[in-house]
Protein backbone atom coordinates (compact mmCIF):
# COMPACT_ATOMS: atom_id res chain seq x y z
CA UNK A 1 0.00 0.00 0.00
CA UNK A 2 1.36 3.42 -0.93
CA UNK A 3 -0.12 6.90 -0.79
CA UNK A 4 1.83 9.57 -2.67
CA UNK A 5 0.85 13.20 -2.19
CA UNK A 6 1.39 16.26 -4.32
CA UNK A 7 4.15 18.74 -3.57
CA UNK A 8 4.44 21.69 -1.25
CA UNK A 9 2.38 24.80 -1.88
CA UNK A 10 2.70 28.46 -0.95
CA UNK A 11 -0.54 30.44 -1.03
CA UNK A 12 -1.70 33.92 -0.12
CA UNK A 13 -4.48 34.48 2.40
CA UNK A 14 -7.88 34.10 0.75
CA UNK A 15 -6.62 31.73 -1.93
CA UNK A 16 -7.44 28.04 -2.34
CA UNK A 17 -5.22 24.98 -2.32
CA UNK A 18 -5.83 21.50 -3.70
CA UNK A 19 -3.80 18.55 -2.48
CA UNK A 20 -3.83 15.18 -4.20
CA UNK A 21 -3.19 11.71 -2.82
CA UNK A 22 -2.53 8.91 -5.32
CA UNK A 23 -3.09 5.41 -3.97
CA UNK A 24 -1.53 2.18 -5.15
CA UNK A 25 -1.14 -1.39 -3.97
CA UNK A 26 -4.78 -1.97 -3.05
CA UNK A 27 -8.29 -1.68 -4.43
CA UNK A 28 -9.02 2.03 -4.08
CA UNK A 29 -12.79 1.63 -3.96
CA UNK A 30 -12.62 -0.73 -0.98
CA UNK A 31 -11.30 1.80 1.54
CA UNK A 32 -11.96 5.33 2.68
CA UNK A 33 -9.39 8.11 2.77
CA UNK A 34 -9.00 10.54 5.65
CA UNK A 35 -7.35 13.95 5.71
CA UNK A 36 -5.35 14.94 8.80
CA UNK A 37 -3.35 18.11 9.28
CA UNK A 38 -0.54 19.15 11.58
CA UNK A 39 0.39 22.78 12.17
CA UNK A 40 4.10 23.47 12.76
CA UNK A 41 5.18 22.02 16.10
CA UNK A 42 1.61 21.04 16.93
CA UNK A 43 -0.49 17.89 17.21
CA UNK A 44 -2.69 16.06 14.74
CA UNK A 45 -6.12 17.27 13.64
CA UNK A 46 -8.57 15.11 11.69
CA UNK A 47 -10.32 17.12 8.99
CA UNK A 48 -12.57 14.68 7.21
CA UNK A 49 -13.15 11.36 5.43
CA UNK A 50 -14.26 10.33 1.98
CA UNK A 51 -15.43 6.92 0.86
CA UNK A 52 -13.40 5.40 -1.95
CA UNK A 53 -16.52 3.41 -2.84
CA UNK A 54 -19.20 6.06 -3.37
CA UNK A 55 -17.70 9.45 -2.52
CA UNK A 56 -19.68 9.94 0.68
CA UNK A 57 -17.99 12.43 2.97
CA UNK A 58 -17.88 13.36 6.64
CA UNK A 59 -15.95 16.39 7.85
CA UNK A 60 -15.31 18.45 10.94
CA UNK A 61 -17.86 21.21 11.32
CA UNK A 62 -15.19 23.93 11.54
CA UNK A 63 -14.13 23.16 7.94
CA UNK A 64 -17.59 22.86 6.45
CA UNK A 65 -18.00 25.44 3.72
CA UNK A 66 -14.23 25.66 3.12
CA UNK A 67 -13.30 22.01 2.59
CA UNK A 68 -14.08 19.85 -0.41
CA UNK A 69 -12.97 16.24 -0.69
CA UNK A 70 -13.28 14.28 -3.91
CA UNK A 71 -12.04 11.07 -5.46
CA UNK A 72 -11.17 9.99 -8.98
CA UNK A 73 -11.55 6.24 -9.09
CA UNK A 74 -10.12 6.08 -12.62
CA UNK A 75 -6.73 7.19 -11.25
CA UNK A 76 -7.12 5.97 -7.63
CA UNK A 77 -6.58 9.51 -6.43
CA UNK A 78 -8.17 11.47 -3.62
CA UNK A 79 -8.20 15.26 -3.62
CA UNK A 80 -8.71 17.79 -0.85
CA UNK A 81 -9.36 21.47 -1.48
CA UNK A 82 -9.38 24.16 1.19
CA UNK A 83 -10.74 27.57 0.23
CA UNK A 84 -10.40 31.01 1.81
CA UNK A 85 -7.04 30.12 3.30
CA UNK A 86 -5.88 31.83 6.48
CA UNK A 87 -2.45 31.96 8.09
CA UNK A 88 -3.56 29.37 10.65
CA UNK A 89 -4.15 26.90 7.83
CA UNK A 90 -0.37 26.66 7.47
CA UNK A 91 0.28 22.99 8.15
CA UNK A 92 1.40 19.66 6.78
CA UNK A 93 -1.63 17.92 5.31
CA UNK A 94 -1.71 14.12 5.30
CA UNK A 95 -3.97 11.64 3.60
CA UNK A 96 -4.45 8.37 5.46
CA UNK A 97 -6.26 5.19 4.53
CA UNK A 98 -8.86 3.50 6.72
CA UNK A 99 -7.64 0.36 8.42
CA UNK A 100 -10.93 -1.41 7.85
CA UNK A 101 -12.32 -2.24 4.42
CA UNK A 102 -15.78 -0.90 3.78
CA UNK A 103 -17.88 2.09 2.85
CA UNK A 104 -18.06 3.59 6.35
CA UNK A 105 -15.00 5.14 7.94
CA UNK A 106 -14.21 3.61 11.31
CA UNK A 107 -11.47 6.01 12.36
CA UNK A 108 -8.29 3.93 12.34
CA UNK A 109 -5.61 4.99 9.86
CA UNK A 110 -3.17 2.31 8.75
CA UNK A 111 -1.32 3.86 5.79
CA UNK A 112 -0.32 7.49 5.40
CA UNK A 113 0.93 9.70 2.64
CA UNK A 114 4.23 11.52 3.06
CA UNK A 115 2.51 14.82 3.82
CA UNK A 116 2.15 18.07 1.89
CA UNK A 117 3.29 21.34 3.44
CA UNK A 118 0.89 24.18 2.73
CA UNK A 119 2.20 27.60 3.71
CA UNK A 120 -0.22 30.53 3.81
CA UNK A 121 1.59 33.82 3.82
CA UNK A 122 1.18 37.26 2.33
CA UNK B 1 -16.34 16.61 20.68
CA UNK B 2 -14.43 14.05 22.75
CA UNK B 3 -11.31 15.49 24.34
CA UNK B 4 -8.23 13.27 24.66
CA UNK B 5 -5.61 14.08 27.29
CA UNK B 6 -2.22 12.38 27.39
CA UNK B 7 0.29 12.29 30.21
CA UNK B 8 3.04 13.02 30.50
CA UNK B 9 3.60 15.56 27.69
CA UNK B 10 7.21 14.45 27.56
CA UNK B 11 9.50 11.99 29.26
CA UNK B 12 13.16 11.07 29.29
CA UNK B 13 14.11 7.41 29.35
CA UNK B 14 17.05 5.14 28.66
CA UNK B 15 17.37 2.26 26.26
CA UNK B 16 15.95 -0.82 27.95
CA UNK B 17 13.55 1.09 30.19
CA UNK B 18 9.88 0.21 30.50
CA UNK B 19 7.85 3.21 29.41
CA UNK B 20 4.17 3.88 30.06
CA UNK B 21 2.06 6.61 28.49
CA UNK B 22 -1.50 7.26 29.57
CA UNK B 23 -4.46 8.68 27.68
CA UNK B 24 -7.77 9.78 29.14
CA UNK B 25 -10.98 10.45 27.21
CA UNK B 26 -13.51 13.08 28.27
CA UNK B 27 -16.26 10.45 28.03
CA UNK B 28 -16.43 6.70 27.67
CA UNK B 29 -15.15 5.45 24.33
CA UNK B 30 -15.31 1.70 25.04
CA UNK B 31 -12.20 0.28 23.36
CA UNK B 32 -12.18 2.68 20.39
CA UNK B 33 -8.69 3.94 21.09
CA UNK B 34 -5.69 3.92 18.78
CA UNK B 35 -2.01 4.74 19.27
CA UNK B 36 0.37 6.25 16.70
CA UNK B 37 4.11 6.87 16.65
CA UNK B 38 5.51 9.87 14.80
CA UNK B 39 9.16 10.62 14.14
CA UNK B 40 10.34 14.12 13.12
CA UNK B 41 9.48 14.96 9.52
CA UNK B 42 7.59 11.70 9.02
CA UNK B 43 3.97 10.65 8.86
CA UNK B 44 2.42 8.96 11.89
CA UNK B 45 2.47 5.17 12.08
CA UNK B 46 -0.34 3.07 13.54
CA UNK B 47 0.90 0.95 16.44
CA UNK B 48 -2.20 -0.21 18.32
CA UNK B 49 -5.90 -0.16 17.40
CA UNK B 50 -8.99 -1.06 19.40
CA UNK B 51 -7.06 -0.33 22.59
CA UNK B 52 -4.96 -3.49 22.57
CA UNK B 53 -4.67 -4.94 19.06
CA UNK B 54 -1.15 -4.80 17.68
CA UNK B 55 -0.97 -3.54 14.10
CA UNK B 56 0.73 -5.90 11.68
CA UNK B 57 4.50 -5.50 11.64
CA UNK B 58 4.71 -3.61 14.95
CA UNK B 59 7.17 -5.12 17.46
CA UNK B 60 5.66 -7.01 20.38
CA UNK B 61 7.38 -4.72 22.90
CA UNK B 62 4.50 -2.33 22.24
CA UNK B 63 1.24 -3.08 24.02
CA UNK B 64 -1.96 -1.26 24.82
CA UNK B 65 -4.62 -1.65 27.46
CA UNK B 66 -7.68 0.01 28.89
CA UNK B 67 -11.34 0.65 28.21
CA UNK B 68 -13.91 3.30 28.96
CA UNK B 69 -11.98 6.48 29.63
CA UNK B 70 -8.49 5.36 30.68
CA UNK B 71 -5.90 3.81 28.43
CA UNK B 72 -2.20 2.94 28.50
CA UNK B 73 0.53 2.42 25.93
CA UNK B 74 3.49 0.44 27.24
CA UNK B 75 6.88 -0.09 25.65
CA UNK B 76 8.37 -3.02 27.54
CA UNK B 77 12.01 -2.36 26.68
CA UNK B 78 12.73 0.94 24.97
CA UNK B 79 14.86 0.68 21.85
CA UNK B 80 16.83 3.48 20.12
CA UNK B 81 14.31 3.58 17.27
CA UNK B 82 11.44 4.19 19.71
CA UNK B 83 12.42 7.76 20.51
CA UNK B 84 9.51 9.64 18.96
CA UNK B 85 6.23 11.34 19.75
CA UNK B 86 3.23 9.15 20.54
CA UNK B 87 -0.41 10.13 20.01
CA UNK B 88 -3.60 8.50 21.18
CA UNK B 89 -6.76 8.94 19.08
CA UNK B 90 -10.37 8.03 19.70
CA UNK B 91 -12.47 6.35 17.02
CA UNK B 92 -15.73 6.19 18.99
CA UNK B 93 -17.44 9.30 17.60
CA UNK B 94 -16.67 11.73 14.83
CA UNK B 95 -14.90 14.06 14.79
CA UNK B 96 -12.07 11.64 15.47
CA UNK B 97 -9.77 13.42 17.92
CA UNK B 98 -6.16 13.02 19.02
CA UNK B 99 -4.33 13.60 22.25
CA UNK B 100 -1.74 16.36 22.34
CA UNK B 101 1.15 13.90 22.11
CA UNK B 102 3.88 12.51 24.36
CA UNK B 103 7.47 13.06 23.33
CA UNK B 104 9.82 10.27 24.39
CA UNK B 105 13.38 11.55 24.57
CA UNK B 106 16.74 9.99 25.29
CA UNK B 107 17.92 10.30 28.90
Amino acid sequence: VQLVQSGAEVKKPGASVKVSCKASGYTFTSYGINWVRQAPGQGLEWMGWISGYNGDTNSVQKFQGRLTMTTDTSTSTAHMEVRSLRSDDTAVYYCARDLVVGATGTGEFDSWGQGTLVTVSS
Amino acid sequence: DIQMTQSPSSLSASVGDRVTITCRASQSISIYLNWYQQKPGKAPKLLIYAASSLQSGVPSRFSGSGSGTDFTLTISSLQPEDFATYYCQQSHNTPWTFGQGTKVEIK
Side-chain angles (χ1 to χ4, degrees), chain B residues 62-83:
Chain B
F62 291 93
S63 63
S65 64
S67 65
T69 60
D70 294 313
F71 301 86
T72 299
L73 173 70
T74 300
I75 309 172
S76 60
S77 178
L78 197 65
Q79 298 302 300
E81 60 267 31
D82 301 336
F83 292 96

Side-chain angles (χ1 to χ4, degrees), chain A residues 38 46 94 106-107 109 112-113, chain B residues 36 38 42-44 87 89 96:
Chain A
Q38 186 171 37
W46 180 76
Y94 293 101
T106 56
F109 318 135
W112 295 65
Chain B
Y36 298 85
Q38 187 179 34
K42 299 296 186 182
Y87 293 93
Q89 175 241 333
W96 315 131

Side-chain angles (χ1 to χ4, degrees), chain A residues 28-35 46 48-59 69 96-110, chain B residues 32 34 36 89-97:
Chain A
F28 182 77
T29 52
S30 293
Y31 294 83
I33 292 287
N34 298 267
W35 292 93
W46 180 76
W49 167 89
I50 184 165
S51 168
Y53 175 69
N54 60 12
D56 282 353
T57 61
N58 183 2
S59 61
M69 295 174 289
R97 193 190 77 161
D98 281 341
L99 171 67
V100 178
V101 64
T104 302
T106 56
E108 304 90 7
F109 318 135
D110 73 334
Chain B
Y32 296 101
N34 313 303
Y36 298 85
Q89 175 241 333
Q90 64 84 17
S91 52
H92 185 264
N93 287 343
T94 57
W96 315 131
T97 47

